[in-house]
Amino acid sequence: MMAVYELIKREEEVEVEHIMMEDLNKKIVNMEEGYTDQSGKVNAVVGDNKNIKSNLIVISNGKEDVSASSKSRLVSLDVFRGLTVALMILVDDVGGLIPAINHSPWNGVTLADFVMPFFLFIVGVALGLTYKRLPCRIAASRMAVLRSLKLLVLGLLLQGGYFHGINDLTFGVNMERLRWLGVLQRIAIAYLVAALCEIWLKGGDAVKSELSLLKKYRFQWVVAILLTITHMALLYGLYVPDWEYQIPSQGASVPTRTLTVKCGVRGDTGPACNAVGMIDRTILGLQHLYQRPIYSRTMQCSIKSPNYGPLPHDAPSWCQAPFEPEGILSSIMAIVSCMIGLHYGHVIVHFKDHKNRILHWMIPAFCLVLMGFILDFSGMHFNKALYSSSYTCLTAGAAGILFTGLYVLV
């Protein structure tokens, strides 16, 4: 997670700068505000936002020069990012000692369950600023794909690999048990989809009100709605049959055990028979999933619940089965979290008055929180492992409220 912090931190300032430099090499000047002085120099300033300014690029006699003036940033977003990193470190180091802030074993939310959605929200806000103006959509798309690949590879190296034989000084990655998905991989997927939507799916309508803002980005909202419908249809519509897994032997005297999990249900959202786990088992394979599932801290699976502990004598068969918390189906709603953050970035770009920004942020944020509780009470419980719709609404709304509060303070 610390690695993605630095990659995202430069998002607002690097992407447009690279694209602009490509165009400058072709002697094309793209600017929002600029002037030509009497000496024939063309001065281009990228970004007219009060809170966001890029380097001053001066072109004279066909040569470009980037001034050494310091870069200003959207400070409230940086503060939000820093607080999220601090929260991540807190729950990682203290979560095992204080179960109340550790990840929820299954249904419900705790402090730790807000970290991932906050990061995705921040990525979305940054994308809205990065792609404010696009001299070349193809170049921007190429850069988005490359940055996503960097995150994917970094995730595999730092989190997905299985390093073995440390005591014997034999190192390497066991490809047979490599964990394909993880935190950085999920952020990479959400980033790529949201970036491509921002590059290709926005209209040329002038934004003067909330309605015109929605009209300009209507196709992006269509994508978000379709993703939500797809997630809910698969989660509650797929039939989950019985399945089995093996517990590897711990020695020659302990044979490998094969356990069967009885399901045969549709629309179940429990740990054993949900569609999220079935899709990951089918596509990725059991050996490539996270081997220490979060639900092993539930009361059914641990006598020290909500901490890890020995199995109860009557523990169900699924307690030791692998489960991928950053799975394929759950990543669909992670994309939606990122696209909600993208909307907040659009507000910064199109509304210059502070009161208008706060108003256009707080109303959807409170609506999302309210919708999250309504869905939870209706049976679609808050669940990070499944990335349920209620969880998406609650965490995105909380991110919007916190970001707005930081914007006011900063």
Side-chain angles (χ1 to χ4, degrees):
M1 290 297 289
M2 290 299 294
V4 75
Y5 169 74
E6 287 300 329
L7 283 172
I8 297 172
K9 185 174 184 292
R10 290 181 53 80
E11 190 69 38
E12 302 97 311
E13 59 190 24
V14 174
E15 189 102 20
V16 171
E17 183 177 325
H18 285 180
I19 297 171
M20 290 296 295
M21 295 305 285
E22 284 189 13
D23 260 15
L24 288 169
N25 290 332
K26 300 175 184 178
K27 298 181 180 180
I28 299 174
V29 178
N30 293 275
M31 55 187 168
E32 294 177 24
E33 294 178 357
Y35 62 91
T36 303
D37 60 21
Q38 294 180 353
S39 63
K41 295 181 180 179
V42 179
N43 298 270
V45 179
V46 182
D48 62 350
N49 191 285
K50 297 177 182 178
N51 297 311
I52 309 164
K53 299 177 182 177
S54 296
N55 279 354
L56 181 66
I57 301 174
V58 180
I59 302 177
S60 180
N61 299 324
K63 299 180 180 179
E64 67 253 17
D65 173 51
V66 181
S67 72
S69 60
S70 61
K71 299 176 182 179
S72 298
R73 300 180 56 85
L74 182 60
V75 182
S76 53
L77 185 62
D78 284 336
V79 172
F80 189 17
R81 186 185 292 113
L83 287 176
T84 304
V85 172
L87 177 61
M88 176 191 68
I89 296 172
L90 173 67
V91 298
D92 282 348
D93 293 343
V94 186
L97 302 176
I98 308 176
I101 69 172
N102 200 1
H103 289 289
S104 175
W106 196 246
N107 289 331
V109 290
T110 62
L111 193 60
D113 295 322
F114 287 90
V115 175
M116 170 65 77
F118 282 5
F119 269 114
L120 294 169
F121 180 90
I122 291 168
V123 171
V125 176
L127 284 173
L129 307 179
T130 299
Y131 299 115
K132 180 179 179 180
R133 289 296 176 96
L134 291 173
C136 179
R137 290 184 176 184
I138 295 177
S141 300
R142 182 172 63 249
M143 192 168 293
V145 171
L146 289 176
R147 183 166 281 119
S148 298
L149 290 176
K150 288 179 184 178
L151 284 176
L152 282 170
V153 172
L154 194 60
L156 290 174
L157 291 177
L158 297 181
Q159 183 173 325
Y162 175 74
F163 294 91
H164 58 89
I166 296 179
N167 294 331
D168 300 328
L169 298 181
T170 56
F171 298 92
V173 177
N174 186 349
M175 294 300 295
E176 293 182 354
R177 302 191 67 84
L178 179 67
R179 183 185 172 200
W180 293 115
L181 296 178
V183 172
L184 295 186
Q185 295 93 313
R186 167 166 286 181
I187 294 177
I189 294 170
Y191 165 83
L192 179 60
V193 175
L196 293 179
C197 286
E198 179 66 6
I199 293 170
W200 296 99
L201 299 181
K202 59 182 177 182
D205 311 73
V207 175
K208 298 180 180 179
S209 63
E210 178 68 24
L211 184 61
S212 60
L213 180 67
L214 294 175
K215 184 179 180 181
K216 181 179 180 67
Y217 299 100
R218 59 190 179 276
F219 294 114
Q220 295 183 13
W221 287 111
V222 169
V223 171
I225 293 172
L226 288 177
L227 289 174
T228 303
I229 293 174
T230 300
H231 176 269
M232 294 181 67
L234 295 176
L235 180 61
Y236 295 103
L238 286 181
Y239 175 81
V240 181
D242 298 345
W243 56 283
E244 60 183 29
Y245 68 100
Q246 291 184 334
I247 299 178
S249 61
Q250 300 298 322
S253 60
V254 181
T256 299
R257 290 193 300 156
T258 299
L259 300 179
T260 300
V261 180
K262 296 291 184 180
C263 290
V265 295
R266 191 186 308 273
D268 187 84
T269 56
C273 302
N274 58 81
V276 172
M278 183 192 70
I279 291 175
D280 292 334
R281 291 190 299 270
T282 302
I283 298 177
L284 302 176
L286 277 166
Q287 69 276 17
H288 296 292
L289 305 183
Y290 187 55
Q291 300 298 310
R292 197 182 186 191
I294 190 68
Y295 52 63
S296 60
R297 293 170 43 226
T298 59
M299 294 182 63
Q300 300 99 309
C301 301
S302 173
I303 61 176
K304 295 183 179 181
S305 180
N307 288 322
Y308 291 103
L311 290 170
H313 69 279
D314 58 345
S317 60
W318 46 264
C319 281
Q320 301 176 76
F323 181 85
E324 181 53 67
E326 280 80 39
I328 297 172
L329 183 56
S330 56
S331 293
I332 291 179
M333 292 306 293
I335 298 172
V336 177
S337 290
C338 191
M339 296 188 71
I340 292 174
L342 184 58
H343 170 73
Y344 278 67
H346 293 158
V347 171
I348 296 175
V349 171
H350 295 290
F351 296 95
K352 307 306 179 185
D353 182 72
H354 296 309
K355 292 182 179 179
N356 280 342
R357 288 176 175 175
I358 294 170
L359 181 65
H360 286 91
W361 285 337
M362 290 302 291
I363 292 177
F366 280 116
C367 289
L368 283 169
V369 171
L370 178 61
M371 179 61 67
F373 279 105
I374 291 175
L375 291 174
D376 181 65
F377 290 143
S378 66
M380 300 180 185
H381 299 297
F382 300 131
N383 191 297
K384 179 186 180 295
L386 304 179
Y387 221 110
S388 61
S389 299
S390 59
Y391 172 78
T392 304
C393 291
L394 175 68
T395 53
I401 293 173
L402 180 57
F403 174 61
T404 305
L406 291 173
Y407 182 83
V408 173
L409 290 175
V410 173

